[in-house]
Amino acid sequence: MSLEKLKLSKQLVTAMTDAGYISATEIQAKTMSRILGGQDIIAVGPDGAGKTTNYVLGVLMRLKYSTDEAPKVLILVPSKEKALEVIAEFEKLNKNRNLRIIGLYGTGGTEQDVLDLVDGVDIVVGLPTRARAIYLKLGLNMSKLQMFIVDDAEVIVKQGMQLPVCELARSAGKCQHLIFTTVVHEKLNNMIDQFLNFPTTLEVEDLGESKANTHELLLYPVPNFKTKINLLNLLLRDDEVFDKVVVFVNTRLTAQKLGKSLHSAKPGVVSVLNPLFFDEDGFDHIEDFKETPEARVLIVANEGSSSLDLSGIPFLFHFEVPEKKETFLSRIVKSNDEEVVAITFSTDMELVEVKKIEQSIGKKLTVMELPEDLVIDKVTKSTGIDKSRIVKEKNDGPQGGGAYHEKKESNSKDYNYGIGQKAKMTMKKKHS
């Protein structure tokens, strides 16, 4: 889509062209008219989709020069690095040198920030915790705010900064709210439901042009760590199917904890690779695990582990999504004709990593329904606004709701059998 169709001013189109932007991204094409129209939106898109440039353009279009000392725009970001990136984008695209921008991301005293704000400002870019601290000292005037923007909202939630975001949003009064995120999940909804009414959710996906040749990839969305343990125990009951399994976790401490949490009627069935303590069941080398008939489940920590020879292992479980996507990719990309099923457990907080993996391999993981007899660990949830109040772009589309949401048609499955049956079919295919 051409830049002219975004209905930007000629000055901004020129600035975009000078900055090297040739055309509008999909998320800019979908959201710009709503931003310029003053609507509240939740924009969902992967890294590199152009979300930051999107709202910078919207702010520059909507913001009118004035001599008011109070800021008209507040942009909340999760880190100092992100704040500097946003400020740099404004400086690149803004031709109005009278526009005043201040960053609030320091860790020391707030006196200088307060003095800078008193001198007058149009746009404030800051961390939620820092902005809230200055607001509580009466240094941040929210009375003239026109736009309240949260960027990288999923990271802000992951870092536990929901409270300052909500307090600042409620203090802002009536203004336009723009939320930009990579994923939408329950904890994010719990935050934005406290100050958003009837937003429009707009989502774009960019899975890349090329598809990687991978093993079969299955995804189980689960609410928490304890439910992951319950699910793994439930699936591993079928020892006929899961005769050799490697389970990956992120740390050796988690490996130790998981090893003690998995049920087994026979000793030696569950073991840990390079255990923390000498008296734990474990192996120093994966080849020893492969050659030991009674050993069915090997727990491996990503932490400090070198590349492993996984040949001959038909089932790989990622109990935790690796922090680096390259770690995951190195295990699931096909290097031979072996039939392998790679099963991933993901909480809401890990969905960001899952999205990055899907973007890298050019396809989505197959989402599996949780077994009916799974015991789901209950977690106390904060009370928020009824999710039915959130208005989607299409009334007949899927409704949000974290890990437990209706699947898009492209992701829905037309079968209703469990992992045991699916795995048996895979194994049967393997040995046929």
Side-chain angles (χ1 to χ4, degrees), residues 212-423:
N213 184 21
T214 67
H215 298 304
E216 186 171 8
L217 305 177
L218 308 180
L219 175 68
Y220 280 97
V222 292
N224 49 55
F225 185 87
K226 288 185 178 180
T227 305
K228 283 186 178 184
I229 295 176
N230 296 342
L231 178 59
L232 187 58
N233 272 315
L234 182 62
L235 298 180
L236 292 180
R237 284 181 188 175
D238 194 339
D239 53 4
E240 180 184 341
V241 171
F242 298 105
D243 55 346
K244 280 291 181 183
V245 172
V246 171
V247 180
F248 293 103
V249 295
N250 284 336
T251 67
R252 295 178 69 193
L253 190 61
T254 304
Q256 178 197 18
K257 180 178 180 180
L258 182 60
K260 294 179 179 179
S261 302
L262 294 183
H263 305 152
S264 175
K266 299 178 182 179
V269 171
V270 178
S271 55
V272 177
L273 185 67
N274 299 317
L276 277 176
F277 303 108
F278 70 92
D279 57 344
E280 292 179 340
D281 290 330
F283 295 97
D284 293 330
H285 304 285
I286 193 170
E287 295 302 326
D288 296 333
F289 165 72
K290 294 178 184 179
E291 295 170 2
T292 306
E294 63 271 17
R296 284 182 51 223
V297 181
L298 181 66
I299 304 171
V300 178
N302 297 323
E303 177 184 70
S305 64
S306 57
S307 59
L308 300 174
D309 179 9
L310 298 172
S311 60
I313 307 294
F315 295 100
L316 305 178
F317 280 86
H318 284 95
F319 185 84
E320 295 179 305
V321 181
E323 296 174 357
K324 296 181 179 179
K325 64 181 180 181
E326 291 78 13
T327 302
F328 185 95
L329 297 176
S330 66
R331 298 167 183 157
I332 56 89
V333 174
K334 271 191 174 183
S335 58
N336 50 46
D337 293 332
E338 281 191 274
E339 293 290 341
V340 177
V341 180
I343 303 165
T344 302
F345 296 171
S346 172
T347 62
D348 281 351
M349 294 294 98
E350 294 171 304
L351 285 177
V352 176
E353 281 71 30
V354 172
K355 287 284 186 182
K356 291 178 180 178
I357 290 168
E358 291 176 336
Q359 193 175 3
S360 297
I361 62 177
K363 57 185 177 182
K364 301 185 75 66
L365 279 63
T366 302
V367 179
M368 303 295 292
E369 300 289 348
L370 295 176
E372 293 182 1
D373 52 347
L374 173 66
V375 177
I376 296 178
D377 187 70
K378 300 297 181 183
V379 177
T380 303
K381 299 174 183 177
S382 59
T383 303
I385 296 175
D386 185 357
K387 301 294 186 299
S388 63
R389 296 181 65 184
I390 298 180
V391 179
K392 302 293 182 180
E393 186 182 19
K394 296 181 180 179
N395 293 331
D396 57 351
Q399 300 300 309
Y404 305 97
H405 58 274
E406 293 183 21
K407 308 299 183 299
K408 294 182 180 179
E409 184 178 349
S410 59
N411 297 336
S412 61
K413 59 188 181 70
D414 53 8
Y415 51 84
N416 191 30
Y417 47 82
I419 178 63
Q421 291 166 287
K422 188 175 180 68

Side-chain angles (χ1 to χ4, degrees), residues 125-171:
V125 183
L127 278 64
T129 48
R130 186 71 171 184
R132 174 178 176 264
I134 295 174
Y135 171 76
L136 293 176
K137 290 189 175 183
L138 305 180
L140 180 60
N141 186 347
M142 309 278 280
S143 63
K144 302 290 185 179
L145 211 64
Q146 300 171 17
M147 302 176 74
F148 183 95
I149 302 171
V150 183
D151 197 4
D152 288 345
E154 79 287 352
V155 182
I156 286 176
V157 171
K158 189 173 184 178
Q159 294 178 351
M161 294 190 287
Q162 300 96 311
L163 179 60
V165 171
C166 293
E167 288 187 357
L168 289 167
R170 289 193 293 264
S171 302

